[in-house]
Amino acid sequence: DAGITQSPRHKVTETGTPVTLRCHQTENHRYMYWYRQDPGHGLRLIHYSYGVKDTDKGEVSDGYSVSRSKTEDFLLTLESATSSQTSVYFCAISDGAGQGGPGSQYFGPGTRLTVL
Amino acid sequence: GEDVEQSLFLSVREGDSSVINCTYTDSSSTYLYWYKQEPGAGLQLLTYIFSNMDMKQDQRLTVLLNKKDKHLSLRIADTQTGDSAIYFCAESIRRTGNQFYFGTGTSLTVIP
């Protein structure tokens, strides 16, 4: 399995509080992604990074920001959490090539976030 | 976003074949993927197919791609109870920088 960890694995917070989720990889992959998974929607891309300090928005980026100061860490921040951001958040990594097919993404175990 | 659709549920008996279907809308897909998600876990890459291929076989898994109809399927031969999970198809689209677009997932239940 690809070396990807996410922390925390579970978090309960209140509306209006800031929340930061961390993704850490040991594979030295260039690309990192944050997705949210919701029933009936599959996975939707929030933000992604194509290198240190290089990030871009995905399909559902409103209310989220990201930072990548080191190759191995990709942080997702909810500046002021809302109940609509209750979800399971997955980090993924890719080296753009790989035995799983070019661009194949490998996923972390997920973080379950509940915003009350 | 791009529309990638899957049926929500599938039940099969142990030992039978399972066929999970997926339709997509963007004809500029480069690769199409199948992922498996077990309860409480992340997504595990099962297999992929390049968009100019029709079929790919990998042990018990067979992927069929009908590019004209934008239809992708995953066949699991001799389905086992350990195959019970949610299966996601995904497409990567060149014009979006190879971003992935996932289907809603098909929950496969294998009945002993």
Side-chain angles (χ1 to χ4, degrees):
Chain A
D1 290 342
I4 313 168
T5 57
Q6 294 185 231
S7 58
R9 293 293 314 279
H10 300 272
K11 186 169 182 66
V12 180
T13 192
E14 294 188 348
T15 297
T17 59
V19 176
T20 296
L21 308 182
R22 179 179 182 241
C23 177
H24 178 78
Q25 60 145 331
T26 58
E27 304 295 322
N28 201 36
H29 282 3
R30 177 181 175 189
Y31 300 91
M32 298 185 76
Y33 307 82
W34 276 108
Y35 290 89
R36 61 178 289 173
Q37 182 179 23
D38 303 290
H41 289 280
L43 275 78
R44 293 180 291 174
L45 181 66
I46 305 171
H47 282 279
Y48 66 101
S49 169
Y50 45 96
V52 173
K53 292 188 169 48
D54 292 323
T55 65
D56 207 347
K57 295 179 180 180
E59 185 184 359
V60 290
S61 59
D62 287 349
Y64 302 95
S65 62
V66 290
S67 65
R68 191 168 178 200
S69 59
K70 298 185 289 185
T71 299
E72 57 267 33
D73 290 325
F74 192 32
L75 303 181
L76 176 71
T77 297
L78 291 65
E79 300 289 348
S80 178
T82 67
S83 58
S84 65
Q85 293 176 310
T86 293
S87 187
V88 181
Y89 291 85
F90 287 99
C91 174
I93 65 174
S94 171
D95 64 358
Q99 294 180 352
S104 293
Q105 296 184 15
Y106 300 92
F107 284 79
T111 294
R112 183 173 294 276
L113 176 67
T114 302
V115 183
L116 301 176
Chain B
E2 305 303 323
D3 286 333
V4 181
E5 297 192 354
Q6 302 177 237
S7 53
L8 290 179
F9 303 100
L10 177 66
S11 291
V12 298
R13 294 209 172 272
E14 190 173 18
D16 288 350
S17 292
S18 308
V19 179
I20 303 171
N21 295 302
C22 172
T23 58
Y24 59 98
T25 56
D26 198 301
S27 58
S28 66
S29 298
T30 49
Y31 288 86
L32 295 118
Y33 303 83
W34 283 103
Y35 284 83
K36 175 183 181 183
Q37 184 181 34
E38 297 182 358
L43 277 69
Q44 172 193 356
L45 177 65
L46 284 179
T47 188
Y48 70 96
I49 187 167
F50 187 42
S51 58
N52 70 352
M53 296 171 62
D54 298 324
M55 185 182 85
K56 180 178 181 182
Q57 188 149 3
D58 184 0
Q59 299 182 335
R60 292 192 297 123
L61 305 179
T62 303
V63 179
L64 295 178
L65 176 60
N66 181 329
K67 196 168 184 180
K68 173 177 170 291
D69 294 337
K70 300 187 183 66
H71 182 267
L72 179 74
S73 67
L74 174 70
R75 179 177 180 268
I76 306 172
D78 186 26
T79 313
Q80 302 298 307
T81 55
D83 295 323
S84 292
I86 301 176
Y87 292 80
F88 292 92
C89 64
E91 58 172 345
S92 66
I93 298 176
R94 188 191 308 273
R95 63 177 172 78
T96 66
N98 289 322
Q99 285 187 33
F100 274 38
Y101 295 90
F102 285 86
T104 50
T106 298
S107 178
L108 173 65
T109 300
V110 181
I111 304 165

